[in-house]
Amino acid sequence: MSRRLRQFLSPLIDENPITLQILGICSALAVTTSMTTALTMSAALTAVLMASSGIISALRRHMPKQIRLILQITIIASLVIVTDLILQAYAFEISKRLSIFVSLVVTNCLVLGRAEAFAMHNPPGPSILDGLGNGLGYSLILLIVGFVRELLGRGTLFGFEVLASVDTGGWFQPLGVMLLAPSAFFILGLLIWAIRAWRPAQVEENEYPLSARVEG
Amino acid sequence: MAEPNPIAWWRRLLALPNESRGKMLAMAFLVAAVSSLTVSIAAVVLQPQIDANKAAERQAKLDAMIADLPGLADILAETGADTLETIIVDLTTGLVAEAAFEAFDFAAIAADPETSTELSDDQDIAGIIRRPNYAEIHVLKAGRQVELVILPIYAAGYQSTIRAFLALRGDLNTVAGLVVTEQGETPGLGANIATPAWQALWPGKKLADDDGTLKLAVVRGQGTTEYEVDGITGATRTSTAVGDMIAFWMGPNGYAKVFEALRTGAL
Protein backbone atom coordinates (compact mmCIF):
# COMPACT_ATOMS: atom_id res chain seq x y z
CA MET A 1 0.00 0.00 0.00
CA SER A 2 1.42 3.37 -0.94
CA ARG A 3 2.30 5.84 1.77
CA ARG A 4 -0.32 8.33 0.58
CA LEU A 5 -3.11 5.80 0.68
CA ARG A 6 -2.09 4.55 4.09
CA GLN A 7 -1.92 8.07 5.38
CA PHE A 8 -5.42 8.67 4.06
CA LEU A 9 -6.91 5.41 5.36
CA SER A 10 -5.30 5.25 8.78
CA PRO A 11 -7.55 7.91 10.42
CA LEU A 12 -10.61 5.82 9.50
CA ILE A 13 -9.99 3.08 12.09
CA ASP A 14 -6.36 2.80 13.19
CA GLU A 15 -5.96 6.42 14.19
CA ASN A 16 -9.56 7.46 14.34
CA PRO A 17 -9.77 10.95 15.87
CA ILE A 18 -12.78 10.06 18.03
CA THR A 19 -12.18 6.49 19.14
CA LEU A 20 -8.39 6.58 19.48
CA GLN A 21 -7.57 10.21 20.17
CA ILE A 22 -10.93 10.95 21.87
CA LEU A 23 -11.21 14.36 20.17
CA GLY A 24 -14.40 16.13 19.11
CA ILE A 25 -16.54 14.28 21.65
CA CYS A 26 -18.78 17.26 22.46
CA SER A 27 -20.27 17.52 18.99
CA ALA A 28 -20.33 13.72 18.66
CA LEU A 29 -22.71 13.62 21.63
CA ALA A 30 -24.83 16.55 20.61
CA VAL A 31 -25.63 16.07 16.94
CA THR A 32 -26.06 12.30 16.73
CA THR A 33 -29.72 12.06 17.74
CA SER A 34 -30.57 11.68 14.06
CA MET A 35 -28.78 10.64 10.90
CA THR A 36 -29.66 13.87 9.09
CA THR A 37 -27.95 16.12 11.63
CA ALA A 38 -25.01 13.72 12.00
CA LEU A 39 -24.49 13.70 8.23
CA THR A 40 -24.75 17.49 7.92
CA MET A 41 -22.34 18.01 10.79
CA SER A 42 -19.91 15.48 9.30
CA ALA A 43 -19.99 17.21 5.93
CA ALA A 44 -19.50 20.63 7.54
CA LEU A 45 -16.58 19.44 9.65
CA THR A 46 -14.90 17.60 6.78
CA ALA A 47 -15.20 20.66 4.52
CA VAL A 48 -13.80 22.98 7.19
CA LEU A 49 -11.01 20.56 8.06
CA MET A 50 -9.89 20.13 4.44
CA ALA A 51 -9.98 23.85 3.70
CA SER A 52 -8.21 24.84 6.91
CA SER A 53 -5.53 22.18 6.49
CA GLY A 54 -4.90 23.35 2.92
CA ILE A 55 -4.70 27.05 3.76
CA ILE A 56 -2.64 26.62 6.92
CA SER A 57 -0.27 24.28 5.16
CA ALA A 58 0.19 26.77 2.31
CA LEU A 59 1.08 29.48 4.83
CA ARG A 60 3.15 27.25 7.11
CA ARG A 61 6.55 28.68 6.13
CA HIS A 62 5.42 32.23 6.85
CA MET A 63 3.72 31.76 10.19
CA PRO A 64 5.70 33.33 13.00
CA LYS A 65 5.88 30.82 15.85
CA GLN A 66 4.63 33.18 18.54
CA ILE A 67 1.36 34.01 16.80
CA ARG A 68 0.74 30.78 14.89
CA LEU A 69 -2.14 29.58 17.09
CA ILE A 70 -4.09 32.81 16.78
CA LEU A 71 -3.54 32.84 13.01
CA GLN A 72 -4.78 29.25 12.76
CA ILE A 73 -7.85 30.02 14.84
CA THR A 74 -8.63 33.11 12.75
CA ILE A 75 -8.51 31.06 9.56
CA ILE A 76 -10.59 28.22 11.02
CA ALA A 77 -13.15 30.61 12.53
CA SER A 78 -13.67 32.41 9.20
CA LEU A 79 -14.19 29.10 7.40
CA VAL A 80 -16.65 28.00 10.07
CA ILE A 81 -18.68 31.23 9.84
CA VAL A 82 -18.89 30.89 6.05
CA THR A 83 -19.99 27.25 6.39
CA ASP A 84 -22.59 28.20 8.98
CA LEU A 85 -23.95 30.95 6.71
CA ILE A 86 -24.17 28.56 3.76
CA LEU A 87 -26.10 26.08 5.92
CA GLN A 88 -28.44 28.83 7.13
CA ALA A 89 -29.09 29.89 3.54
CA TYR A 90 -29.53 26.50 1.90
CA ALA A 91 -30.33 24.03 4.70
CA PHE A 92 -32.25 26.25 7.13
CA GLU A 93 -34.19 23.53 8.96
CA ILE A 94 -31.13 21.38 9.59
CA SER A 95 -29.01 24.37 10.55
CA LYS A 96 -31.59 25.24 13.21
CA ARG A 97 -31.43 21.73 14.64
CA LEU A 98 -27.64 21.85 14.72
CA SER A 99 -27.97 25.20 16.55
CA ILE A 100 -24.61 26.26 17.94
CA PHE A 101 -22.72 23.08 17.17
CA VAL A 102 -21.63 24.20 13.73
CA SER A 103 -20.15 27.40 15.19
CA LEU A 104 -18.48 25.28 17.84
CA VAL A 105 -16.42 23.53 15.15
CA VAL A 106 -14.02 26.44 15.79
CA THR A 107 -13.16 24.99 19.17
CA ASN A 108 -13.24 21.38 17.97
CA CYS A 109 -9.87 20.00 19.08
CA LEU A 110 -9.83 17.87 15.96
CA VAL A 111 -9.47 20.83 13.56
CA LEU A 112 -6.80 22.66 15.51
CA GLY A 113 -5.10 19.36 16.34
CA ARG A 114 -4.69 18.46 12.66
CA ALA A 115 -3.47 21.99 11.87
CA GLU A 116 -0.81 21.84 14.58
CA ALA A 117 0.19 18.20 14.17
CA PHE A 118 0.10 17.80 10.42
CA ALA A 119 -0.59 20.87 8.28
CA MET A 120 2.18 22.94 9.89
CA HIS A 121 4.78 20.39 8.78
CA ASN A 122 3.55 19.13 5.42
CA PRO A 123 2.79 20.55 1.95
CA PRO A 124 -0.82 21.41 1.01
CA GLY A 125 -1.58 18.23 -1.02
CA PRO A 126 -0.95 15.70 1.76
CA SER A 127 -2.47 18.12 4.29
CA ILE A 128 -5.77 18.29 2.42
CA LEU A 129 -5.72 14.49 2.12
CA ASP A 130 -5.04 14.23 5.83
CA GLY A 131 -7.95 16.60 6.50
CA LEU A 132 -10.21 14.49 4.31
CA GLY A 133 -9.11 11.27 6.02
CA ASN A 134 -9.66 12.64 9.50
CA GLY A 135 -12.96 14.23 8.46
CA LEU A 136 -14.15 10.88 7.14
CA GLY A 137 -12.94 9.11 10.29
CA TYR A 138 -14.99 11.55 12.37
CA SER A 139 -17.96 11.17 10.01
CA LEU A 140 -17.81 7.37 10.21
CA ILE A 141 -18.15 7.36 13.99
CA LEU A 142 -20.82 10.08 13.95
CA LEU A 143 -22.87 8.12 11.43
CA ILE A 144 -22.55 4.85 13.37
CA VAL A 145 -23.61 6.54 16.62
CA GLY A 146 -26.37 8.44 14.81
CA PHE A 147 -27.60 5.23 13.17
CA VAL A 148 -27.93 3.39 16.48
CA ARG A 149 -29.48 6.34 18.32
CA GLU A 150 -32.06 7.23 15.69
CA LEU A 151 -32.98 3.61 14.97
CA LEU A 152 -33.44 2.63 18.62
CA GLY A 153 -34.61 6.03 19.87
CA ARG A 154 -37.25 6.74 17.25
CA GLY A 155 -37.45 3.69 15.01
CA THR A 156 -36.60 5.84 11.99
CA LEU A 157 -33.58 6.46 9.75
CA PHE A 158 -33.17 9.85 8.05
CA GLY A 159 -36.72 10.49 9.29
CA PHE A 160 -38.21 7.51 7.42
CA GLU A 161 -39.91 4.87 9.52
CA VAL A 162 -37.99 1.60 9.66
CA LEU A 163 -39.37 -0.04 12.80
CA ALA A 164 -43.09 0.63 13.27
CA SER A 165 -43.30 2.26 16.68
CA VAL A 166 -46.13 1.79 19.17
CA ASP A 167 -47.15 5.45 18.73
CA THR A 168 -48.28 4.70 15.21
CA GLY A 169 -49.74 1.30 16.07
CA GLY A 170 -46.66 -0.84 15.47
CA TRP A 171 -44.76 -3.16 17.77
CA PHE A 172 -41.54 -1.22 18.46
CA GLN A 173 -41.18 0.54 21.80
CA PRO A 174 -38.71 3.46 21.25
CA LEU A 175 -35.90 3.69 23.81
CA GLY A 176 -36.13 7.26 25.06
CA VAL A 177 -32.68 7.10 26.63
CA MET A 178 -31.15 6.85 23.15
CA LEU A 179 -32.16 10.46 22.48
CA LEU A 180 -30.35 11.71 25.59
CA ALA A 181 -26.66 12.57 25.63
CA PRO A 182 -25.53 9.70 27.93
CA SER A 183 -26.52 7.10 25.34
CA ALA A 184 -23.89 8.52 22.98
CA PHE A 185 -21.30 7.83 25.68
CA PHE A 186 -22.52 4.23 25.99
CA ILE A 187 -22.35 3.67 22.24
CA LEU A 188 -18.95 5.33 21.92
CA GLY A 189 -17.65 3.23 24.82
CA LEU A 190 -18.91 0.03 23.22
CA LEU A 191 -17.40 1.07 19.88
CA ILE A 192 -14.01 1.80 21.46
CA TRP A 193 -14.17 -1.54 23.24
CA ALA A 194 -14.99 -3.35 20.00
CA ILE A 195 -12.25 -1.63 18.02
CA ARG A 196 -9.64 -2.28 20.70
CA ALA A 197 -10.63 -5.92 20.97
CA TRP A 198 -10.15 -6.19 17.21
CA ARG A 199 -6.95 -4.07 17.10
CA PRO A 200 -5.13 -4.75 20.38
CA ALA A 201 -2.36 -2.35 19.30
CA GLN A 202 -4.70 0.52 20.28
CA VAL A 203 -4.93 -0.58 23.90
CA GLU A 204 -3.05 1.92 26.05
CA GLU A 205 -0.74 0.90 28.83
CA ASN A 206 -2.36 1.18 32.22
CA GLU A 207 -0.72 4.19 33.84
CA TYR A 208 -2.40 3.80 37.19
CA PRO A 209 -2.78 0.09 37.95
CA LEU A 210 -4.95 -0.79 40.91
CA SER A 211 -2.86 -2.44 43.57
CA ALA A 212 -4.18 -5.69 44.96
CA ARG A 213 -3.96 -4.48 48.53
CA VAL A 214 -3.79 -1.00 49.99
CA GLU A 215 -0.95 -0.69 52.48
CA GLY A 216 -1.47 0.87 55.87
CA MET B 1 16.69 54.30 -6.15
CA ALA B 2 14.34 51.94 -8.03
CA GLU B 3 10.64 52.64 -8.46
CA PRO B 4 8.58 51.12 -5.63
CA ASN B 5 7.59 47.79 -7.11
CA PRO B 6 4.80 45.89 -5.35
CA ILE B 7 6.11 42.50 -6.46
CA ALA B 8 9.62 43.18 -5.21
CA TRP B 9 8.13 44.58 -2.02
CA TRP B 10 6.05 41.44 -1.54
CA ARG B 11 9.11 39.23 -2.13
CA ARG B 12 11.07 41.20 0.42
CA LEU B 13 8.27 40.72 2.95
CA LEU B 14 8.19 36.97 2.37
CA ALA B 15 11.96 36.79 2.70
CA LEU B 16 11.92 38.44 6.11
CA PRO B 17 12.73 36.05 8.94
CA ASN B 18 9.55 34.72 10.53
CA GLU B 19 10.46 35.98 13.95
CA SER B 20 10.97 39.60 12.90
CA ARG B 21 8.51 42.15 14.22
CA GLY B 22 7.59 43.42 10.74
CA LYS B 23 6.71 39.99 9.42
CA MET B 24 4.68 39.18 12.50
CA LEU B 25 2.63 42.36 12.19
CA ALA B 26 2.24 41.91 8.44
CA MET B 27 1.07 38.30 8.78
CA ALA B 28 -1.36 39.14 11.57
CA PHE B 29 -2.78 42.02 9.54
CA LEU B 30 -2.99 40.10 6.25
CA VAL B 31 -4.67 37.03 7.75
CA ALA B 32 -7.17 39.20 9.64
CA ALA B 33 -7.92 41.30 6.54
CA VAL B 34 -8.42 38.37 4.18
CA SER B 35 -10.53 36.48 6.74
CA SER B 36 -12.81 39.41 7.49
CA LEU B 37 -13.22 40.12 3.78
CA THR B 38 -14.23 36.51 3.12
CA VAL B 39 -16.73 36.47 5.97
CA SER B 40 -18.19 39.84 4.93
CA ILE B 41 -18.64 38.79 1.32
CA ALA B 42 -20.31 35.53 2.35
CA ALA B 43 -22.62 37.37 4.76
CA VAL B 44 -23.67 39.95 2.17
CA VAL B 45 -24.20 37.41 -0.61
CA LEU B 46 -26.18 34.94 1.54
CA GLN B 47 -28.22 37.41 3.63
CA PRO B 48 -31.23 37.71 1.25
CA GLN B 49 -31.62 33.92 1.20
CA ILE B 50 -31.34 33.69 5.00
CA ASP B 51 -33.90 36.50 5.44
CA ALA B 52 -36.29 34.73 3.08
CA ASN B 53 -35.92 31.53 5.13
CA LYS B 54 -36.66 33.42 8.34
CA ALA B 55 -39.71 35.13 6.85
CA ALA B 56 -41.07 31.79 5.65
CA GLU B 57 -40.51 30.33 9.10
CA ARG B 58 -42.29 33.25 10.78
CA GLN B 59 -45.29 32.78 8.49
CA ALA B 60 -45.30 29.02 9.14
CA LYS B 61 -45.26 29.62 12.90
CA LEU B 62 -48.09 32.13 12.66
CA ASP B 63 -50.13 29.66 10.60
CA ALA B 64 -49.38 26.89 13.11
CA MET B 65 -50.42 29.14 16.00
CA ILE B 66 -53.69 30.04 14.30
CA ALA B 67 -54.33 26.36 13.64
CA ASP B 68 -53.60 25.51 17.30
CA LEU B 69 -55.76 28.19 18.94
CA PRO B 70 -58.66 26.45 20.65
CA GLY B 71 -62.05 27.46 19.41
CA LEU B 72 -60.76 29.34 16.39
CA ALA B 73 -62.06 26.73 13.98
CA ASP B 74 -65.55 27.07 15.51
CA ILE B 75 -65.50 30.84 15.23
CA LEU B 76 -64.40 30.61 11.63
CA ALA B 77 -67.15 28.10 10.89
CA GLU B 78 -69.79 30.29 12.56
CA THR B 79 -68.85 33.49 10.79
CA GLY B 80 -68.26 31.79 7.47
CA ALA B 81 -64.94 33.58 7.09
CA ASP B 82 -62.08 31.30 6.26
CA THR B 83 -59.16 33.55 7.12
CA LEU B 84 -58.22 36.33 9.44
CA GLU B 85 -58.42 39.89 8.29
CA THR B 86 -54.94 41.40 7.95
CA ILE B 87 -54.74 45.11 8.72
CA ILE B 88 -51.80 47.51 8.72
CA VAL B 89 -52.43 49.88 11.62
CA ASP B 90 -50.90 53.22 12.49
CA LEU B 91 -49.74 52.95 16.10
CA THR B 92 -49.89 56.73 16.65
CA THR B 93 -53.60 56.95 15.79
CA GLY B 94 -54.72 53.37 16.29
CA LEU B 95 -56.50 53.45 12.93
CA VAL B 96 -55.85 51.82 9.58
CA ALA B 97 -52.62 53.20 8.13
CA GLU B 98 -53.10 55.77 5.40
CA ALA B 99 -49.73 55.18 3.83
CA ALA B 100 -49.57 52.36 1.30
CA PHE B 101 -46.99 49.59 1.61
CA GLU B 102 -45.85 47.40 -1.23
CA ALA B 103 -44.41 44.66 0.92
CA PHE B 104 -44.76 45.15 4.64
CA ASP B 105 -41.38 44.76 6.34
CA PHE B 106 -41.67 45.31 10.09
CA ALA B 107 -37.92 45.41 10.73
CA ALA B 108 -37.26 47.91 7.91
CA ILE B 109 -40.07 50.17 9.16
CA ALA B 110 -38.62 50.10 12.67
CA ALA B 111 -35.18 51.06 11.35
CA ASP B 112 -36.32 53.93 9.09
CA PRO B 113 -36.50 57.28 10.97
CA GLU B 114 -39.34 58.36 8.63
CA THR B 115 -41.64 55.55 9.76
CA SER B 116 -40.61 55.13 13.38
CA THR B 117 -40.51 57.09 16.62
CA GLU B 118 -37.50 57.43 18.85
CA LEU B 119 -38.17 56.32 22.40
CA SER B 120 -36.79 58.04 25.47
CA ASP B 121 -34.95 55.92 28.03
CA ASP B 122 -37.89 55.60 30.41
CA GLN B 123 -40.33 54.81 27.58
CA ASP B 124 -38.05 52.16 26.14
CA ILE B 125 -38.61 49.32 28.59
CA ALA B 126 -38.26 46.68 25.86
CA GLY B 127 -34.84 47.97 24.73
CA ILE B 128 -35.89 48.51 21.11
CA ILE B 129 -34.63 52.16 20.76
CA ARG B 130 -37.12 53.05 17.97
CA ARG B 131 -40.75 52.05 17.79
CA PRO B 132 -42.20 51.44 14.34
CA ASN B 133 -45.24 53.62 13.57
CA TYR B 134 -46.96 50.87 11.64
CA ALA B 135 -47.67 47.23 12.40
CA GLU B 136 -49.38 44.42 10.55
CA ILE B 137 -52.00 42.86 12.81
CA HIS B 138 -54.51 40.09 12.24
CA VAL B 139 -58.08 40.46 13.43
CA LEU B 140 -60.93 37.98 13.52
CA LYS B 141 -64.45 39.38 13.85
CA ALA B 142 -67.81 37.72 14.25
CA GLY B 143 -70.10 40.34 12.81
CA ARG B 144 -69.00 43.59 14.49
CA GLN B 145 -67.63 41.76 17.50
CA VAL B 146 -63.86 41.29 17.75
CA GLU B 147 -63.11 37.66 18.62
CA LEU B 148 -59.35 37.49 18.32
CA VAL B 149 -56.41 39.80 17.63
CA ILE B 150 -52.88 38.70 16.74
CA LEU B 151 -50.16 41.28 17.30
CA PRO B 152 -46.48 41.12 16.32
CA ILE B 153 -44.17 42.16 19.15
CA TYR B 154 -40.42 42.18 19.74
CA ALA B 155 -37.82 43.18 22.32
CA ALA B 156 -34.13 43.02 23.05
CA GLY B 157 -33.47 39.77 24.90
CA TYR B 158 -30.33 38.68 26.72
CA GLN B 159 -28.26 38.23 23.57
CA SER B 160 -30.65 38.55 20.63
CA THR B 161 -33.82 40.20 19.44
CA ILE B 162 -36.85 38.18 20.49
CA ARG B 163 -39.76 38.32 18.03
CA ALA B 164 -43.15 36.91 18.83
CA PHE B 165 -46.86 36.99 18.07
CA LEU B 166 -49.29 37.57 20.93
CA ALA B 167 -52.91 36.54 20.41
CA LEU B 168 -55.62 38.15 22.54
CA ARG B 169 -59.25 37.15 22.99
CA GLY B 170 -62.12 39.49 22.13
CA ASP B 171 -62.01 41.21 25.55
CA LEU B 172 -58.47 42.37 24.61
CA ASN B 173 -57.37 41.31 28.07
CA THR B 174 -57.15 37.52 27.98
CA VAL B 175 -54.13 35.95 26.33
CA ALA B 176 -55.09 33.37 23.72
CA GLY B 177 -51.52 32.39 22.98
CA LEU B 178 -47.93 33.49 22.60
CA VAL B 179 -45.60 32.14 19.97
CA VAL B 180 -41.94 33.11 19.77
CA THR B 181 -40.94 33.17 16.13
CA GLU B 182 -37.34 34.28 16.32
CA GLN B 183 -34.74 34.28 19.07
CA GLY B 184 -31.06 33.56 19.60
CA GLU B 185 -30.97 33.14 23.36
CA THR B 186 -28.73 30.68 25.22
CA PRO B 187 -29.48 27.17 23.88
CA GLY B 188 -30.96 24.95 26.58
CA LEU B 189 -31.80 27.88 28.86
CA GLY B 190 -33.22 31.11 27.43
CA ALA B 191 -33.94 29.43 24.10
CA ASN B 192 -36.62 27.42 25.92
CA ILE B 193 -38.96 30.39 25.44
CA ALA B 194 -39.47 29.00 21.93
CA THR B 195 -40.61 25.58 23.19
CA PRO B 196 -44.31 24.62 23.05
CA ALA B 197 -44.10 23.61 26.73
CA TRP B 198 -43.26 27.14 27.88
CA GLN B 199 -45.61 28.84 25.45
CA ALA B 200 -48.42 26.61 26.74
CA LEU B 201 -48.22 28.54 30.04
CA TRP B 202 -49.63 31.66 28.38
CA PRO B 203 -53.20 30.98 27.21
CA GLY B 204 -55.73 32.17 29.79
CA LYS B 205 -53.45 34.73 31.47
CA LYS B 206 -54.84 38.25 31.95
CA LEU B 207 -53.07 41.44 30.88
CA ALA B 208 -54.56 43.94 33.32
CA ASP B 209 -56.70 43.91 36.46
CA ASP B 210 -60.18 45.42 36.73
CA ASP B 211 -58.75 48.93 37.20
CA GLY B 212 -56.89 48.63 33.93
CA THR B 213 -53.42 48.46 35.49
CA LEU B 214 -51.09 46.33 33.41
CA LYS B 215 -50.05 43.43 35.63
CA LEU B 216 -49.00 40.51 33.44
CA ALA B 217 -45.36 39.61 34.19
CA VAL B 218 -42.92 36.75 33.95
CA VAL B 219 -41.89 35.93 37.51
CA ARG B 220 -39.11 33.92 39.10
CA GLY B 221 -40.12 30.38 39.86
CA GLN B 222 -43.80 29.48 39.78
CA GLY B 223 -46.47 31.99 38.89
CA THR B 224 -49.36 31.90 41.35
CA THR B 225 -51.98 34.28 39.94
CA GLU B 226 -53.51 34.68 36.52
CA TYR B 227 -51.18 37.67 35.96
CA GLU B 228 -48.01 35.63 36.48
CA VAL B 229 -46.15 33.34 34.08
CA ASP B 230 -43.40 31.01 35.36
CA GLY B 231 -39.90 32.25 34.52
CA ILE B 232 -37.20 29.94 33.22
CA THR B 233 -34.62 28.94 35.81
CA GLY B 234 -31.14 29.99 34.75
CA ALA B 235 -32.48 32.44 32.17
CA THR B 236 -33.64 35.33 34.33
CA ARG B 237 -32.71 38.01 31.82
CA THR B 238 -34.45 36.27 28.93
CA SER B 239 -37.56 35.74 31.07
CA THR B 240 -37.54 39.38 32.19
CA ALA B 241 -37.12 40.51 28.58
CA VAL B 242 -40.27 38.63 27.54
CA GLY B 243 -42.17 40.27 30.42
CA ASP B 244 -40.86 43.70 29.41
CA MET B 245 -41.80 43.00 25.81
CA ILE B 246 -45.44 42.42 26.84
CA ALA B 247 -45.38 45.44 29.16
CA PHE B 248 -44.09 47.72 26.41
CA TRP B 249 -46.33 46.60 23.56
CA MET B 250 -49.50 46.46 25.66
CA GLY B 251 -48.65 49.85 27.15
CA PRO B 252 -49.25 53.45 25.99
CA ASN B 253 -46.37 53.42 23.48
CA GLY B 254 -47.39 50.06 22.05
CA TYR B 255 -50.84 48.98 20.93
CA ALA B 256 -52.92 51.05 23.43
CA LYS B 257 -54.36 53.26 20.66
CA VAL B 258 -55.18 50.21 18.57
CA PHE B 259 -57.01 48.62 21.51
CA GLU B 260 -59.00 51.81 21.96
CA ALA B 261 -59.98 51.81 18.29
CA LEU B 262 -60.93 48.14 18.46
CA ARG B 263 -63.11 48.72 21.55
CA THR B 264 -64.94 51.69 20.05
CA GLY B 265 -65.35 49.89 16.74
CA ALA B 266 -63.28 52.47 14.85
CA LEU B 267 -61.08 49.72 13.48
Side-chain angles (χ1 to χ4, degrees):
Chain A
M1 206 160 33
S2 79
R3 221 186 94 237
R4 276 283 167 81
L5 193 64
R6 206 164 52 235
Q7 183 201 352
F8 169 68
L9 288 178
S10 73
L12 290 185
I13 304 272
D14 287 341
E15 280 173 39
N16 189 286
I18 298 187
T19 59
L20 181 69
Q21 303 168 24
I22 323 285
L23 294 176
I25 291 287
C26 165
S27 53
L29 299 184
V31 301
T32 49
T33 48
S34 77
M35 288 290 275
T36 325
T37 48
L39 188 68
T40 317
M41 184 69 185
S42 302
L45 184 115
T46 309
V48 169
L49 191 54
M50 284 173 70
S52 74
S53 287
I55 295 172
I56 289 169
S57 158
L59 293 173
R60 71 189 186 285
R61 289 190 207 288
H62 299 288
M63 283 214 190
K65 268 223 157 42
Q66 293 92 326
I67 58 167
R68 69 177 195 288
L69 281 178
I70 198 102
L71 291 183
Q72 290 166 6
I73 297 231
T74 310
I75 293 167
I76 296 168
S78 326
L79 291 168
V80 167
I81 297 173
V82 172
T83 313
D84 196 17
L85 285 171
I86 292 175
L87 282 179
Q88 279 183 36
Y90 298 109
F92 189 62
E93 274 304 306
I94 297 171
S95 113
K96 258 186 24 207
R97 276 162 62 197
L98 288 171
S99 70
I100 52 168
F101 292 102
V102 172
S103 343
L104 281 181
V105 169
V106 180
T107 55
N108 196 320
C109 317
L110 180 51
V111 184
L112 196 61
R114 287 334 286 172
E116 266 294 279
F118 199 91
M120 284 299 280
H121 311 290
N122 291 284
S127 294
I128 293 175
L129 208 60
D130 175 74
L132 178 65
N134 276 282
L136 291 180
Y138 174 90
S139 311
L140 182 69
I141 302 297
L142 243 65
L143 289 177
I144 294 175
V145 177
F147 176 86
V148 176
R149 289 180 76 181
E150 191 181 350
L151 187 66
L152 298 183
R154 288 206 185 85
T156 59
L157 283 178
F158 289 107
F160 294 107
E161 188 165 80
V162 178
L163 305 172
S165 75
V166 280
D167 302 335
T168 52
W171 56 272
F172 178 68
Q173 177 71 48
L175 296 171
V177 70
M178 281 296 161
L179 300 178
L180 304 175
S183 72
F185 270 126
F186 302 153
I187 298 166
L188 272 180
L190 291 172
L191 258 179
I192 294 173
W193 179 29
I195 292 175
R196 289 184 186 191
W198 174 38
R199 296 277 168 98
Q202 289 197 8
V203 179
E204 293 145 33
E205 215 171 285
N206 193 349
E207 284 179 56
Y208 307 101
L210 291 173
S211 59
R213 198 167 62 99
V214 180
E215 299 291 323
Chain B
M1 190 78 192
E3 284 286 300
N5 179 344
I7 295 173
W9 191 82
W10 179 245
R11 286 221 177 100
R12 216 163 49 232
L13 175 71
L14 290 186
L16 277 176
N18 267 349
E19 314 314 323
S20 76
R21 196 166 293 169
K23 177 92 172 236
M24 222 186 289
L25 283 174
M27 281 306 290
F29 178 77
L30 280 176
V31 168
V34 173
S35 301
S36 47
L37 197 67
T38 318
V39 170
S40 313
I41 291 173
V44 169
V45 170
L46 296 173
Q47 201 59 49
Q49 183 66 40
I50 295 173
D51 286 344
N53 289 342
K54 285 189 176 160
E57 191 199 15
R58 206 156 45 228
Q59 190 57 45
K61 281 195 176 160
L62 177 63
D63 292 346
M65 171 179 168
I66 291 168
D68 279 354
L69 281 175
L72 182 65
D74 304 338
I75 300 169
L76 287 174
E78 265 173 44
T79 54
D82 53 0
T83 48
L84 298 161
E85 197 182 339
T86 301
I87 310 172
I88 294 173
V89 289
D90 186 332
L91 294 184
T92 46
T93 61
L95 301 173
V96 177
E98 281 163 12
F101 297 93
E102 263 176 41
F104 192 80
D105 184 344
F106 205 30
I109 282 171
D112 186 347
E114 295 249 313
T115 53
S116 61
T117 313
E118 195 163 348
L119 297 166
S120 69
D121 280 352
D122 39 320
Q123 288 174 326
D124 190 16
I125 42 182
I128 56 174
I129 303 167
R130 304 192 73 85
R131 188 215 58 193
N133 291 343
Y134 303 99
E136 190 178 40
I137 68 169
H138 307 272
V139 183
L140 180 75
K141 287 181 182 169
R144 302 278 305 155
Q145 185 66 36
V146 177
E147 292 287 344
L148 189 83
V149 198
I150 299 177
L151 309 161
I153 54 180
Y154 67 96
Y158 174 42
Q159 50 189 19
S160 67
T161 300
I162 301 172
R163 290 180 185 278
F165 286 109
L166 182 72
L168 296 177
R169 296 240 161 259
D171 62 359
L172 300 181
N173 195 32
T174 310
V175 176
L178 174 87
V179 56
V180 175
T181 51
E182 230 183 286
Q183 54 83 27
E185 300 295 288
T186 322
L189 292 170
N192 285 354
I193 56 170
T195 57
W198 193 72
Q199 290 170 10
L201 298 172
W202 287 80
K205 300 287 176 198
K206 304 271 191 229
L207 287 181
D209 60 13
D210 295 337
D211 304 335
T213 322
L214 207 58
K215 284 181 89 173
L216 185 63
V218 181
V219 296
R220 273 176 171 236
Q222 301 272 316
T224 46
T225 68
E226 57 187 0
Y227 305 109
E228 292 178 344
V229 178
D230 310 354
I232 294 171
T233 312
T236 312
R237 287 172 67 177
T238 302
S239 306
T240 316
V242 176
D244 291 346
M245 169 165 79
I246 304 291
F248 174 82
W249 287 99
M250 299 304 113
N253 297 302
Y255 287 110
K257 287 267 167 49
V258 177
F259 291 160
E260 221 169 89
L262 282 169
R263 283 200 180 100
T264 56
L267 198 67

